[in-house]
Amino acid sequence: MSFLFGSRSNKTFKPKKNIPEGTHQYDLMRQAAATLGSGNLRLAVMLPEGEDLNEWVAVNTVDFFNQINMLFGTITEFCTEDSCPLMSAGPKYEYHWADGQTVKKPIKCSAPKYIDYLMTWVQDQLDDETLFPSKIGVPFPRHFNTIAKTILKRLFRVYAHIYHQHFQEVVQLGEEAHLNTSFKHFIFFVQEFNLIDKRELAPLNELIDKLATGSSHSHHSLHHNTHTAATESSAHISSLPAR
């Protein structure tokens, strides 16, 4: 959970999304944080016994938004209109923005602009009580799974951009362990509940494979594999759809 970042990474790109204290989701978040603190990420992502799947996905989606928010906040000075004129994840993957409402036809834009659009859009979804109800007894919408999948698919693109375009800056800032732990947690979660299509994960396939086969590796060994894996994965698979 977000507590992994401690006090070192308190800079955020967007306002942090807080789950209200006193709610069941808040209790669930604290329970998840305690489990995550054990260091077993595969165990930490599993649905707690007797809990509602939608609530579990909702709590974790909020937390991943906050984690990615903090991670991108640490490298915003390096991700500029000049350094990243296109939103990409290596030379083979370019993303165009469309939210299906205000922007229906995908548009090319810089990485900082794309991520601003993306994080604002996610924030709006998380703040909508009809989509992410926080009160006990208020049901989740029937299409909640589809909503969560779209949010997580788009959040993955920020990880992919950071790994491909800004990993060296992350290393220079001493934040690679935070990035690796956050991404590993994210991947284990979406794999556990089949929330992102494998094709969407293609830009970081090599890294994801290393995480899956070496889940007990230290942050140090993962650090040595990360940049190579991110570079390799961009060379073999054709571009993803823009949206």
Side-chain angles (χ1 to χ4, degrees):
M1 309 298 275
S2 299
F3 77 91
L4 285 167
F5 294 88
S7 59
R8 292 180 60 200
S9 301
N10 56 9
K11 181 180 178 183
T12 57
F13 179 56
K14 294 286 183 183
K16 185 178 178 181
K17 170 67 178 178
N18 292 313
I19 294 175
E21 289 191 41
T23 63
H24 180 64
Q25 288 183 20
Y26 183 83
D27 294 338
L28 199 58
M29 180 188 71
R30 300 301 299 172
Q31 178 184 344
T35 307
L36 190 60
S38 71
N40 187 334
L41 291 176
R42 286 289 187 196
L43 178 64
V45 300
M46 293 174 64
L47 178 67
E49 187 175 353
E51 296 295 345
D52 178 70
L53 177 59
N54 285 343
E55 274 203 314
W56 183 238
V57 171
V59 165
N60 281 275
T61 299
V62 169
D63 190 64
F64 289 127
F65 169 77
N66 287 334
Q67 287 187 38
I68 295 168
N69 193 1
M70 286 189 285
L71 283 166
F72 189 69
T74 66
I75 55 101
T76 49
E77 64 188 288
F78 306 110
C79 188
T80 66
E81 300 282 330
D82 292 331
S83 67
C84 302
L86 293 172
M87 176 60 179
S88 64
K92 295 287 185 180
Y93 302 97
E94 181 180 316
Y95 299 112
H96 300 172
W97 177 252
D99 60 14
Q101 297 170 333
T102 57
V103 183
K104 295 184 179 180
K105 184 178 180 181
I107 58 171
K108 278 190 177 186
C109 52
S110 67
K113 180 64 70 177
Y114 183 100
I115 294 171
D116 183 49
Y117 284 143
L118 187 158
M119 298 299 271
T120 299
W121 176 82
V122 173
Q123 196 170 28
D124 287 344
Q125 308 305 299
L126 299 182
D127 287 340
D128 187 338
E129 282 286 327
T130 67
L131 302 179
F132 280 78
S134 60
K135 296 177 182 177
I136 294 175
V138 178
F140 284 84
R142 290 183 180 179
H143 63 304
F144 176 75
N145 187 255
T146 300
I147 296 165
K149 283 183 173 182
T150 302
I151 290 172
L152 293 166
K153 174 182 72 176
R154 291 178 173 177
L155 288 176
F156 168 81
R157 296 171 182 178
V158 184
Y159 280 119
H161 179 73
I162 292 173
Y163 270 114
H164 277 282
Q165 309 301 133
H166 299 292
F167 188 70
Q168 289 309 311
E169 288 95 347
V170 171
V171 171
Q172 289 166 17
L173 292 168
E175 297 290 342
E176 69 272 20
H178 297 314
L179 172 62
N180 291 336
T181 299
S182 175
F183 182 63
K184 189 174 179 180
H185 181 204
F186 179 89
I187 287 300
F188 284 6
F189 186 81
V190 299
Q191 287 177 337
E192 175 74 13
F193 302 105
N194 194 28
L195 293 168
I196 301 181
D197 189 280
K198 286 186 177 181
R199 188 159 168 257
E200 287 286 341
L201 299 174
L204 293 178
N205 259 347
E206 299 285 344
L207 177 57
I208 292 168
D209 287 346
K210 289 180 188 298
L211 291 175
T213 57
S215 58
S216 62
H217 286 186
S218 67
H219 294 313
H220 180 70
S221 60
L222 180 57
H223 158 58
H224 282 292
N225 289 331
T226 302
H227 190 260
T228 302
T231 304
E232 288 171 353
S233 66
S234 68
H236 304 297
I237 308 169
S238 60
S239 297
L240 293 171
R243 295 175 65 170

